[in-house]
Amino acid sequence: PFNARDATIDEATEAAEAAIELNATAEEPWRRWQENMEPWLDMKEAMFSRRPDIDMAVAMQELGLQLELAAAEAEEIIQCFPCDRQPFDKRLEAIAQDWNSLLATFENGTW
């Protein structure tokens, strides 16, 4: 595994190139998916109907993913640049509180 704290410039460059290559491998499946979805875009009722329960579930899932990504990215940054964690910890706590609030709203059916 790549450890940014102890990495040389060459190792960091190699890790960045590997990340770029990984991203490139995702581009083709994404393009194919978009092409496959294109014929369905004229089916507005099926594709774009809005249901509050589904909208809230999607929002909750996205917020959870954002929380996980923020925590993972923060850990990587902290490893690269030692710093005061307090501002980040406060922000992460606020995100968690927002998540819990949305979850309670969803579970109570009051969205």
PDB file of all heavy atoms in Angstrom, residues 14 19 78 104:
ATOM      1  N   GLU A  14       4.101   7.542  -9.255  1.00  0.00           N
ATOM      2  CA  GLU A  14       3.601   6.233  -9.660  1.00  0.00           C
ATOM      3  C   GLU A  14       2.187   5.987  -9.115  1.00  0.00           C
ATOM      4  O   GLU A  14       1.313   5.472  -9.824  1.00  0.00           O
ATOM      5  CB  GLU A  14       4.556   5.150  -9.159  1.00  0.00           C
ATOM      6  CG  GLU A  14       4.243   3.763  -9.646  1.00  0.00           C
ATOM      7  CD  GLU A  14       5.268   2.759  -9.150  1.00  0.00           C
ATOM      8  OE1 GLU A  14       6.470   2.986  -9.363  1.00  0.00           O
ATOM      9  OE2 GLU A  14       4.844   1.756  -8.555  1.00  0.00           O
ATOM     10  N   ALA A  19      -3.713   5.862 -10.126  1.00  0.00           N
ATOM     11  CA  ALA A  19      -5.064   6.380  -9.897  1.00  0.00           C
ATOM     12  C   ALA A  19      -5.675   6.873 -11.205  1.00  0.00           C
ATOM     13  O   ALA A  19      -6.859   6.640 -11.478  1.00  0.00           O
ATOM     14  CB  ALA A  19      -5.030   7.505  -8.864  1.00  0.00           C
ATOM     15  N   ILE A  78      -4.657  13.708   6.401  1.00  0.00           N
ATOM     16  CA  ILE A  78      -3.978  13.785   7.692  1.00  0.00           C
ATOM     17  C   ILE A  78      -2.658  13.026   7.648  1.00  0.00           C
ATOM     18  O   ILE A  78      -1.660  13.459   8.212  1.00  0.00           O
ATOM     19  CB  ILE A  78      -4.898  13.272   8.813  1.00  0.00           C
ATOM     20  CG1 ILE A  78      -6.007  14.299   9.066  1.00  0.00           C
ATOM     21  CG2 ILE A  78      -4.135  12.989  10.092  1.00  0.00           C
ATOM     22  CD1 ILE A  78      -7.130  13.791   9.926  1.00  0.00           C
ATOM     23  N   ALA A 104     -33.805  10.397  11.134  1.00  0.00           N
ATOM     24  CA  ALA A 104     -34.969  10.463  12.021  1.00  0.00           C
ATOM     25  C   ALA A 104     -36.180  11.000  11.275  1.00  0.00           C
ATOM     26  O   ALA A 104     -37.302  10.495  11.428  1.00  0.00           O
ATOM     27  CB  ALA A 104     -34.649  11.343  13.240  1.00  0.00           C
TER      28      ALA A 104
END
